[in-house]
């Protein structure tokens, strides 16, 4: 789909959502909302909707996320003494389908709360529908700031792009000693545009605007990046920052190396996928930010999650998206139990008040926008594997110029995690 067509789809979805808001922010026709403001019965089961990509370009990310949700459901099968029913809807990696999935979860399945989605574009489309019906969503990995902006019903357990982008700029400057950078972005992908913008702003704030020597664009689904790479290579940047879907970015990196471009390649959290690793494995100096690492568990729940994950999925690699899915489910459980009710406004208020929630990916406190202040993990591709490199806390100082402190460590060690009792 062309960028203009995708924009029209999203605008149409938002217009429909706004019409519902103007009608009173109430439920859709036939929703059978009861007097308590819940969907379905207040006596259970507790219905948790999930909208994630099971097909399309983001399928691997959606599948990893659902692994974590299903593990959490197995460990914590009841909320408020009622059984939990998880209802999964496939977004097909498409914003229009994501909007329909959320509408179906609300109007037909009558879920009490929703988890999702993997990508920011799908999250934005589904978020408009949820807001119109005043049903809360907990995002697992949509990092674009627009996902929660002006949407009081959207919360997330992941960090957002401004911090992720700043951390990678800091890493490029202080660890890789980069003086110049080039950016390659997918202009049809909200996540790619958002994260590349955050990186550019942070890098330029330290090294100057002229230090971003080139910016090249591509479209979702592209397979040939020779023109963009040739343009970038002519500027000889110290590093390239190229966030985007794992499939396109894996191909982009392989083509860059085949062209003899040896500079470090940096990206974001979507790179943590086996499909990306299969393309990037032969190459070196590939770094990306992510949400979790088995090498550096940050809480007692982290260790509990890893043990349970390996028991349930012995052939699978422990990954950040499964950990985020696990955290989204357990935060939903925690909020409903703190609310003591399935009433929508009570669940919302409990989520908004979340402070020091101990999850697998860290200790989560939600700010006024519903965003989590979270640790950022940096990994690299090394010897055909994802290998932990460093971590940075949300309290870390802004990037310092490497010329004044060449040995600066961009990764601040976190405080000891709060005590937690990781029993199911």
């Amino acid at each position: 789909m062309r960028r203009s067509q995708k924009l029209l789809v999203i605008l149409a979805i938002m217009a429909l959502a706004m019409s519902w808001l103007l009608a009173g922010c109430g439920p859709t026709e036939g929703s059978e909302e009861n007097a308590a403001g819940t969907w379905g019965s207040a006596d259970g089961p507790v219905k948790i909707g999930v909208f994630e990509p099971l097909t399309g370009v983001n399928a691997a990310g959606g599948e990893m996320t659902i692994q974590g949700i299903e593990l959490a459901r197995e460990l914590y099968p009841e909320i408020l003494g009622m059984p939990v029913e998880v209802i999964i809807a496939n977004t097909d990696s498409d914003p229009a389908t994501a909007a329909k999935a959320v509408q179906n979860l609300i109007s037909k399945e009558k879920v009490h709360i929703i988890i999702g989605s993997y990508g920011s574009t799908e999250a934005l489309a589904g978020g408009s529908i949820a807001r119109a019906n005043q049903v809360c969503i907990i995002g697992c990995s949509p990092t674009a700031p627009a996902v929660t902006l002006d949407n009081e019903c959207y919360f997330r357990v992941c960090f957002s792009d401004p911090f992720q982008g700043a951390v990678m700029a800091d890493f490029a400057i202080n660890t890789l000693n980069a003086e110049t950078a080039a950016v390659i972005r997918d202009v049809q992908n909200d996540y790619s545009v958002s994260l590349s913008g955050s990186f550019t702003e942070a890098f330029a704030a330290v090294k100057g605007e002229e230090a971003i020597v080139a910016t090249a664009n591509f479209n979702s689904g592209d397979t040939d990046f020779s023109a963009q790479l040739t343009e970038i290579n002519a500027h000889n940047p110290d590093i390239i920052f190229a966030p985007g879907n794992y499939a396109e970015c894996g191909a982009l990196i392989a083509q860059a190396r085949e062209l003899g471009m040896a500079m470090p390649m940096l990206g974001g959290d979507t790179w943590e996928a086996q499909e990306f690793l299969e393309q990037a494995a032969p190459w070196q100096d590939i770094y990306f930010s992510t949400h979790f690492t088995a090498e550096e568990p940050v809480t007692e729940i982290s260790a509990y999650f890893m043990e349970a994950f390996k028991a349930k999925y012995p052939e699978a690699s422990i990954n950040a998206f499964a950990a985020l899915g696990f955290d989204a489910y357990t935060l939903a459980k925690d909020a409903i139990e703190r609310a003591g009710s399935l009433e929508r406004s009570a669940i919302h208020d409990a989520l908004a008040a979340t402070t020091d929630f101990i999850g697998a990916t860290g200790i989560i406190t939600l700010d006024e926008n519903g965003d989590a202040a979270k640790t950022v993990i940096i990994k690299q591709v090394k010897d055909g594997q994802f290998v932990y490199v460093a971590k940075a806390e949300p309290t870390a100082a802004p990037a310092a110029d490497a010329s004044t402190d060449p040995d600066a460590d961009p990764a601040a060690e976190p405080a000891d995690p709060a005590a937690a009792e990781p029993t199911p």
Side-chain angles (χ1 to χ4, degrees):
M1 181 182 293
R2 296 177 62 85
R3 178 174 172 81
S4 59
Q5 293 173 317
K6 180 176 288 187
L7 178 61
L8 289 173
V9 169
I10 294 176
L11 289 174
I13 292 166
M14 294 179 70
L16 179 60
M18 184 59 69
S19 70
W20 287 329
L21 283 170
L22 294 175
C25 299
T28 57
E29 183 179 355
S31 65
E32 300 179 8
E33 181 189 25
N34 65 29
T38 60
W39 298 102
S41 171
D43 299 323
V46 178
K47 291 189 174 184
I48 298 179
V50 176
F51 73 120
E52 290 287 342
L54 301 180
T55 52
V57 296
N58 293 327
E63 290 167 359
M64 288 188 287
T65 304
I66 288 173
Q67 282 184 328
I69 294 170
E70 291 181 337
L71 173 61
R73 161 65 178 80
E74 183 176 291
L75 296 173
Y76 306 100
E78 292 188 352
I79 297 176
L80 295 177
M82 295 177 283
V84 177
E85 180 181 354
V86 172
I87 303 165
I88 299 173
N90 180 16
T91 70
D92 195 31
S93 305
D94 173 70
T97 305
K100 292 176 183 177
V102 171
Q103 181 61 64
N104 186 67
L105 288 170
I106 294 171
S107 61
K108 181 179 178 182
E109 302 294 348
K110 302 177 177 61
V111 298
H112 299 103
I113 193 169
I114 298 172
I115 293 172
S117 185
Y118 170 81
S120 295
T121 300
E122 299 158 54
L124 284 163
S128 297
I129 305 301
R131 182 171 183 253
N133 290 275
Q134 295 293 284
V135 177
C136 289
I137 298 181
I138 300 177
C140 301
S141 55
T143 55
V147 170
T148 56
L149 184 66
D150 296 328
N151 189 340
E152 72 281 3
C153 292
Y154 224 122
F155 305 84
R156 54 183 155 198
V157 295
C158 60
F159 48 67
S160 61
D161 288 337
F163 182 54
Q164 179 180 199
V167 165
M168 293 309 290
D170 185 83
F171 180 77
I173 293 168
N174 287 324
T175 298
L176 302 180
N177 299 316
E179 294 292 332
T180 60
V183 173
I184 306 178
R185 61 186 182 179
D186 179 351
V187 292
Q188 291 184 319
N189 185 319
D190 293 288
Y191 161 82
S192 181
V193 172
S194 170
L195 184 50
S196 61
S198 296
F199 173 88
T200 298
E201 181 179 359
F203 195 94
V206 178
K207 293 298 182 180
E209 293 184 5
E210 68 280 0
I212 303 295
V213 295
T215 299
N217 300 327
F218 67 93
N219 296 317
S220 298
D222 283 355
T223 57
D224 182 0
F225 305 95
S226 56
Q228 294 93 333
L229 291 169
T230 299
E231 175 189 348
I232 292 293
N233 201 31
H235 294 274
N236 193 31
D238 292 332
I239 65 99
I240 295 175
F241 188 68
N245 292 332
Y246 50 80
E248 290 94 330
C249 290
L252 186 152
I253 288 173
Q255 291 175 31
R257 294 299 189 246
E258 289 164 359
L259 288 171
M261 299 172 67
M263 68 281 289
M265 305 282 287
L266 282 65
D269 53 312
T270 53
W271 286 12
E272 190 172 2
Q274 184 62 32
E275 289 79 356
F276 174 84
L277 184 61
E278 289 170 358
Q279 297 186 78
W283 316 110
Q284 302 298 317
D285 289 329
I286 300 167
Y287 303 90
F288 63 93
S289 49
T290 187
H291 308 263
F292 178 85
T293 180
E295 293 95 328
E296 289 284 330
V298 291
T299 71
E300 291 185 20
I301 296 297
S302 307
Y304 177 62
F305 160 77
M306 290 189 292
E307 181 181 356
F309 185 92
K310 291 308 295 182
K312 183 173 177 62
Y313 308 108
E315 303 301 320
S317 298
I318 296 172
N319 61 83
F321 297 108
L324 289 168
F326 181 92
D327 281 356
Y329 179 99
T330 53
L331 178 57
K333 173 181 179 293
D334 176 74
I336 293 171
E337 290 178 341
R338 282 188 284 118
S341 166
L342 296 180
E343 199 270 322
R344 296 196 308 279
S345 64
I347 295 172
H348 170 274
D349 292 347
L351 277 172
T354 297
T355 303
D356 296 331
F357 172 80
I358 302 173
T361 61
I363 300 174
I364 299 169
T365 294
L366 299 179
D367 66 15
E368 65 275 9
N369 292 321
D371 294 336
K374 296 285 296 298
T375 302
V376 173
I377 301 294
I378 299 175
K379 291 185 178 182
Q380 66 173 318
V381 175
K382 185 176 182 180
D383 299 327
Q385 300 180 57
F386 293 134
V387 178
Y388 167 75
V389 175
K391 58 187 170 185
E393 293 300 301
T395 54
D401 193 320
S403 63
T404 61
D405 186 6
D407 297 321
D409 180 2
E413 292 297 318
D416 291 337
E421 182 61 38
T423 53

